Amino acid sequence: MGNIAGLVPVILFLLVALALSIFARRRSRSGAGFVNDYFIGNRSLGAFVLAMTTIATYGSVSSFVGGPGQAWTIGWGWVYMAAVQVTALFLLYGIMGKKMALVSRKLNAVTVIDVLRARYRSDALAIIAALVIVVFFGTTMIAQFVGGAKLFAAVTGYSYLTGLVLFGLAVIIFTTIGGFRGVAVTDALCGIAMLVGIFVLAGGILHAGGGWDNLMATIERNHPEMMEPLSGGHMPYGLYFTQWLIVGIFTFCLPQSAVRTMGFKDAKSLRHAMVLGTVIIGAMLIGCTALGTMSAGVLTDDIAAYGGSIDNIIPTAIVSTLPPWLAGIAIIGPIAASISTVSSLLIAASSAIIKDIWIHYGQRAGKTASDRAIEVSSQGVTLGIGLIVFVLAVTPPAVIWQINMFAFGGLETAFCWVFLGALFWRRANRYGALLSMVGGTAAYCVCMALGIKFMGLHQITIGLAVSLLLMVVGSLAFRDRESGHLPVFFGDSPRSEP
């Protein structure tokens, strides 16, 4: 029998999230049309909600479970690596924010693929982009479900499947009902819950370890290399470099983050969100990772004593340092991280299928679907994708953070240069974009599958390099004489490419 004291806070949190989602959905019926309301929230997000939904989307269950578990083995070097995540929102809003918002409003674009289709005038690129999004988002969502359910089982004593059913179905339901605005509002709630969870667990670890000085003394006595930036060779410069690329610098081009730059209310909201979000994401993600290193001061046995997986470190820290009722509150943080990521990816994956494929090709064939038909189809697809991912998560994969990193790398490789070319390089064209997305993603996946590396660096360096090279070569070698929407992106008069 599980621990009911740990279960109650989780159920209450899920009920509040469901109520918020329903409330947000009812308020969103503004007359702007179902598609605008459901997939982009009618571009009405204020600074706080914008910052929190972006942070909650970026911070996944891996931030609470896999990353801190790795920090338990590596030490402060892993925390220094995680510090680069402070730049995530600054780069996203600073590089993409204003221009993506201006362009999407002029085009009445609802998804990032709408923007890419208009810029490159390529249906093939739009279809491939939608497939990449669905595949990598699906992979990420499985990792979130697994991480959340494992954590739930370890802390409450109920089974993995019970946890999966409880919060897995809850997030599918409130995402299906709430749409983009519902997701954004519940993300804000999740962001607050994450911060509360971090502070509660930090208090528990400090209390159990006899205070900060005793914790650090224990770690230094057992594993002195964990106090060093390079962790006795376990944290080489190459690992710093590639991890900074994956979880820091190139996160600005993740499509689930980029779509949030299309949903804010005004420039003031964007500026305030940039400052507020940078402070909060720094506290949250550095704090999460630091919890893993701090846990080494209270969980001093070999990894075999904790089930042989680093994913068990934070759940064990929660159970062993907090009373059951407080553990139930602490667990809400990582479960909220899981929920917020799944809900954001779910609505983005649904938009890729409904808006970017079904509605687009219906309109090209001269068929205009009614708002009611679009509403039923959108909610049906959201529900269907969620249930497929849910079923795939019933048999959990091995290590969560590695799955998460694979999906991050794949999405960054596929979209980085295609986004940058669309927004900032006039000469970029459909040929370069197609080659970049297909060639870069294929190179990344093949190298990951075969374990091919360059100078020992993570395979994302190969994917990004191939993707950039193909974008430049394809755009310069093949001319695209149609001007299309270039004036919308570059603010000049239409003209053909030289």
Side-chain angles (χ1 to χ4, degrees), residues 125-169:
L125 179 70
I127 292 173
I128 293 169
L131 291 175
V132 169
I133 283 176
V134 171
V135 169
F136 283 112
F137 279 11
T139 306
T140 308
M141 282 189 278
I142 291 172
Q144 305 310 306
F145 275 149
V146 170
K150 276 186 172 180
L151 193 68
F152 174 88
V155 174
T156 66
Y158 291 91
S159 69
Y160 169 86
L161 192 58
T162 301
L164 190 61
V165 169
L166 184 65
F167 81 85
L169 292 184

Side-chain angles (χ1 to χ4, degrees), residues 212-405:
W212 178 264
D213 290 342
N214 282 339
L215 274 178
M216 295 303 107
T218 301
I219 295 172
E220 190 162 16
R221 183 171 58 251
N222 295 335
H223 303 284
E225 74 281 1
M226 290 179 65
M227 307 299 286
E228 303 169 1
L230 300 183
S231 189
H234 297 295
M235 197 67 204
Y237 290 115
L239 185 56
Y240 268 109
F241 176 67
T242 50
Q243 287 297 109
W244 281 345
L245 295 183
I246 295 177
V247 303
I249 295 169
F250 285 101
T251 54
F252 75 87
C253 58
L254 291 171
Q256 67 268 36
S257 299
V259 73
R260 271 146 180 80
T261 65
M262 299 163 61
F264 62 85
K265 185 168 52 182
D266 49 34
K268 182 180 176 183
S269 300
L270 182 68
R271 288 196 300 273
H272 289 176
M274 184 184 294
V275 176
L276 182 65
T278 298
V279 172
I280 295 176
I281 200 170
M284 184 181 294
L285 296 181
I286 294 175
C288 278
T289 314
L291 289 177
T293 300
M294 291 166 60
S295 297
V298 292
L299 305 178
T300 55
D301 290 328
D302 188 76
I303 186 66
Y306 309 115
S309 171
I310 60 171
D311 291 342
N312 296 328
I313 295 301
I314 289 300
T316 306
I318 292 175
V319 171
S320 60
T321 64
L322 296 171
W325 66 273
L326 210 49
I329 294 175
I331 194 183
I332 291 175
I335 285 182
S338 169
I339 285 174
S340 60
T341 303
V342 170
S343 60
S344 299
L345 299 184
L346 202 50
I347 200 72
S350 171
S351 71
I353 293 174
I354 291 295
K355 176 67 177 66
D356 299 318
I357 296 179
W358 182 59
I359 293 179
H360 175 76
Y361 283 98
Q363 290 172 341
R364 286 191 60 174
K367 299 176 183 176
T368 303
S370 66
D371 264 10
R372 180 59 184 160
I374 294 173
E375 180 174 355
V376 172
S377 303
S378 300
Q379 292 180 325
V381 168
T382 305
L383 182 62
I385 295 174
L387 291 176
I388 290 170
V389 173
F390 173 84
V391 170
L392 292 175
V394 170
T395 304
V399 182
I400 300 167
W401 77 269
Q402 290 179 349
I403 299 170
N404 218 42
M405 289 303 98

Side-chain angles (χ1 to χ4, degrees), residues 4 9 34 48 71 108-109 113 119 122 197 212 219 232-233 250 257 268 319 333 338 350 352 398 467 470 489:
I4 191 70
F34 175 81
F48 178 74
N108 195 28
I113 295 178
R119 170 65 176 85
S122 171
W212 178 264
I219 295 172
F250 285 101
S257 299
K268 182 180 176 183
V319 171
S338 169
S350 171
S467 181
L470 292 175
F489 287 82

Side-chain angles (χ1 to χ4, degrees), residues 11 45 71 80 92 100 146 149 151 174 189 252 301 314 350 376 390 402 421 465 473 475 488:
I11 292 178
L45 301 186
Y80 302 148
L92 171 68
M100 185 67 102
V146 170
L151 193 68
F174 73 63
L189 174 68
F252 75 87
D301 290 328
I314 289 300
S350 171
V376 172
F390 173 84
Q402 290 179 349
V473 170
S475 296
V488 173

